[in-house]
Amino acid sequence: MLLRPFVTVPRSGWQEIRRALDLDTEILSRIASYIADGAVVANDVEELASTCAIATNTDEGDVAAVLALAINLKRIERNFKSVPLSEQTILSTFDDSMKQSDFPLWDKKYSELFRLRIPQFGILLAPDNVIDIMSKARELLYDYERIFIDCKVLTDVRYVYNNSGNEIAGGLIVHTIVMEYHENNKVQQMHLSLTEADILQVQGLLTRELKKSTEALETLAKSNIPDLTPKRNS
């Protein structure tokens, strides 16, 4: 018996789904046509949304919502790459999965809106267009167990007292780096103690990596290969 594919759509993406499906089909058609005919790959979704919004005279937030939904639909395709899915199966899989979620008004409103917009989303799901390429790039970028969010370094002095506790015998300068990251769809924190020598070592490594990045970017440019690395923390 062939099992029907099922996906879980995170609640964090529900607002964008709602916004994309509330768009008039004429607006969605303009966006789809631009992606199909005039769009070029960008560093991130925000940049593509900006250029598409200008070219189609559409609200940038609306375009970003459509692109985010299209990228997630492409992710469904790759999640089941061992069993190739047709465009129609991808779209129906998304619809079925949303029906089984707690998405507000999916059965009463949004399932029908999605069905009426399948022609436009079909255009967005075409192979090797900018959505396909950027979706692959995003998946590669975040294909790790832990994804960095932010960090900060705390520096403090810790005193060492005598046995009686009434006199400072010395002091330690202690650096603590606080790393914030995603793991299993949760935000986690890690605290690492560093000495001054550790900081200098990390600084040297990061400086070297920036030089390597510059060299890699120049190589891509000389080869006319687009740089897909996001320039924003998104």
Side-chain angles (χ1 to χ4, degrees):
M1 177 181 177
L2 182 63
L3 296 177
R4 188 171 183 79
F6 177 83
V7 294
T8 300
V9 180
R11 288 176 179 266
S12 58
W14 285 9
Q15 184 175 351
E16 289 177 322
I17 293 171
R18 189 181 298 110
R19 183 168 182 171
L21 296 182
D22 277 332
L23 284 177
D24 185 82
T25 53
E26 191 274 331
I27 295 175
L28 188 57
S29 294
R30 291 207 306 265
I31 297 172
S33 295
Y34 175 77
I35 294 299
D37 301 326
V40 295
V41 292
N43 294 120
D44 50 40
V45 175
E46 291 85 355
E47 182 182 340
L48 178 59
S50 178
T51 56
C52 180
I54 294 171
T56 60
N57 193 28
T58 308
D59 180 81
E60 185 175 333
D62 290 341
V63 177
V66 172
L67 298 181
L69 177 50
I71 285 174
N72 283 317
L73 290 171
K74 293 300 292 187
R75 186 177 295 124
I76 293 175
E77 181 180 33
R78 276 192 297 283
N79 284 346
F80 295 95
K81 57 189 173 185
S82 59
V83 182
L85 302 180
S86 66
E87 173 190 300
Q88 186 60 43
T89 302
I90 295 169
L91 296 169
S92 62
T93 295
F94 176 79
D95 186 31
D96 290 344
S97 299
M98 294 304 295
K99 286 177 180 176
Q100 297 180 52
S101 71
D102 296 323
F103 191 100
L105 299 177
W106 187 265
D107 278 331
K108 295 181 179 180
K109 176 183 178 182
Y110 287 100
S111 179
E112 179 65 11
L113 289 179
F114 181 67
R115 188 186 67 80
L116 293 173
R117 287 152 178 75
I118 280 179
Q120 289 83 7
F121 281 108
I123 295 173
L124 293 171
L125 291 180
D128 295 324
N129 67 6
V130 294
I131 296 293
D132 194 17
I133 294 169
M134 292 181 67
S135 177
K136 291 176 183 176
R138 174 165 287 200
E139 192 167 312
L140 287 171
L141 183 65
Y142 298 114
D143 190 22
Y144 297 94
E145 184 179 353
R146 299 177 183 86
I147 306 299
F148 174 84
I149 301 175
D150 199 3
C151 73
K152 58 185 175 181
V153 178
L154 308 176
T155 300
D156 60 286
V157 177
R158 296 184 182 178
Y159 295 109
V160 179
Y161 292 87
N162 62 4
N163 287 335
S164 299
N166 59 0
E167 184 179 330
I168 297 175
L172 294 172
I173 299 176
V174 179
H175 309 280
T176 304
I177 184 168
V178 182
M179 307 284 293
E180 197 170 80
Y181 59 94
H182 277 297
E183 183 178 22
N184 298 325
N185 293 321
K186 294 181 180 179
V187 176
Q188 308 280 14
Q189 275 194 352
M190 177 185 296
H191 297 246
L192 298 173
S193 177
L194 301 173
T195 65
E196 184 175 336
D198 295 332
I199 291 176
L200 291 172
Q201 180 183 0
V202 172
Q203 183 182 44
L205 289 171
L206 294 178
T207 300
R208 182 173 183 270
E209 291 308 307
L210 287 174
K211 291 179 180 178
K212 288 165 61 178
S213 179
T214 299
E215 180 64 27
L217 285 171
E218 291 176 356
T219 301
L220 288 175
K222 290 175 183 176
S223 304
N224 292 320
I225 299 174
D227 169 29
L228 302 179
T229 314
K231 305 305 179 189
R232 319 178 197 200
N233 290 329
S234 58

